[in-house]
Amino acid sequence: MRLVPLAVVLLSLLLPQLGRAQTSPVVIELFTSQGCSSCPPADALFRDLAEEPGVIALALHVDYWDYLGWQDSFGSPAFTARQKAYAKAAHSRRFYTPQMVVQGNDRLVGHDAVRIVRSIAAHQALPAAVDLDVDLEDDLLNIRLTPNGVPVGAADVHVVRYMPSSEVAIEAGENAGRTIDYTNIVTEWDTIARWDGHEPVDLAYRLTGDEPVAVIVQGSRGGQVYSAASLP
């Protein structure tokens, strides 16, 4: 008999209490590393969260643990820089793995299921600040942004590609000898436009490859996520 993951239980308890007002998915970013011994529990929690409706889960593998003897096959200095930008926005020098960032706003220990699920539920209870319409015509991604009420101010528009899953046999470092299943591994993160957040705008972006795509509208310089959408 398959046990129901803790994250699923917590979401089922919290969401009816808070209501589901969010008109776009909540974005969770996991900063993780194949060379981090405390990351596997967070990777497993993240895998469960990625299956939940109303959630866009993106795993960003950092490179600052590579010196321990195992180079993360998905690691990128760009993802390390993104995590550092979140710390800077919070006026903090502290960044670590595993860490989850919920809706660009809440920075949490990556395996703290209770706090992470509470954060997701709280954001799902809020209305989206931006109406985001996304459709795909052949390889052309069409994006329309409209403020939902009060203008949000300067925002970056991100197009993210990710690999749904991959199993990795780790041969060295802190996780040597383990085989770990990774989920929604970010392979590309492109900032395609900066929007003033006031007037509706139409954007187009040409895609290559067949990986799933997410579109994220986020306050500039590591701010709050205003809206998001994903396409298979």
Side-chain angles (χ1 to χ4, degrees):
M1 182 176 66
R2 183 177 183 271
L3 296 178
V4 178
L6 174 60
V8 176
V9 174
L10 291 172
L11 278 169
S12 67
L13 292 173
L14 287 171
L15 290 182
Q17 299 173 20
L18 295 174
R20 190 188 289 269
Q22 183 78 8
T23 54
S24 75
V26 171
V27 175
I28 59 173
E29 298 169 63
L30 171 64
F31 293 94
T32 186
S33 173
Q34 295 169 9
C36 161
S37 62
S38 57
C39 283
D43 297 319
L45 171 63
F46 178 81
R47 184 169 59 249
D48 294 334
L49 294 173
E51 296 178 357
E52 288 300 298
V55 170
I56 294 177
L58 301 168
L60 295 95
H61 286 239
V62 299
D63 65 347
Y64 50 81
W65 295 124
D66 289 357
Y67 78 94
L68 293 175
W70 178 256
Q71 184 172 351
D72 192 309
S73 55
F74 308 127
S76 170
F79 303 152
T80 299
R82 181 167 175 81
Q83 187 182 28
K84 289 181 177 179
Y86 274 127
K88 183 177 180 180
H91 306 289
S92 172
R93 295 183 179 180
R94 187 168 180 252
F95 57 94
Y96 53 87
T97 56
Q99 183 182 57
M100 284 200 205
V101 177
V102 180
Q103 206 68 344
N105 189 61
D106 300 338
R107 300 163 61 242
L108 302 166
V109 175
H111 45 63
D112 190 340
V114 173
R115 290 188 179 182
I116 291 165
V117 170
R118 285 187 180 277
S119 175
I120 293 170
H123 285 289
Q124 287 183 332
L126 301 173
V130 172
D131 289 330
L132 172 62
D133 293 316
V134 176
D135 68 78
L136 189 60
E137 297 179 5
D138 296 324
D139 61 350
L140 192 65
L141 183 65
N142 297 303
I143 303 167
R144 182 170 178 79
L145 310 175
T146 307
N148 187 8
V150 178
V152 296
D156 293 327
V157 182
H158 306 287
V159 174
V160 184
R161 308 302 298 273
Y162 58 94
M163 186 191 312
S165 64
S166 183
E167 185 179 83
V168 178
I170 300 172
E171 300 175 2
E174 291 188 345
N175 288 318
R178 301 188 66 167
T179 297
I180 300 176
D181 292 323
Y182 292 103
T183 304
N184 290 6
I185 308 131
V186 173
T187 55
E188 298 178 42
W189 191 297
D190 295 323
T191 303
I192 66 165
R194 176 159 290 184
W195 176 46
D196 65 9
H198 288 261
E199 299 296 328
V201 67
D202 292 293
L203 303 169
Y205 183 79
R206 196 165 299 280
L207 298 173
T208 58
D210 56 3
E211 289 184 330
V213 59
V215 178
I216 300 171
V217 184
Q218 182 175 21
S220 298
R221 299 179 181 177
Q224 180 178 346
V225 171
Y226 295 133
S227 195
S230 62
L231 294 171

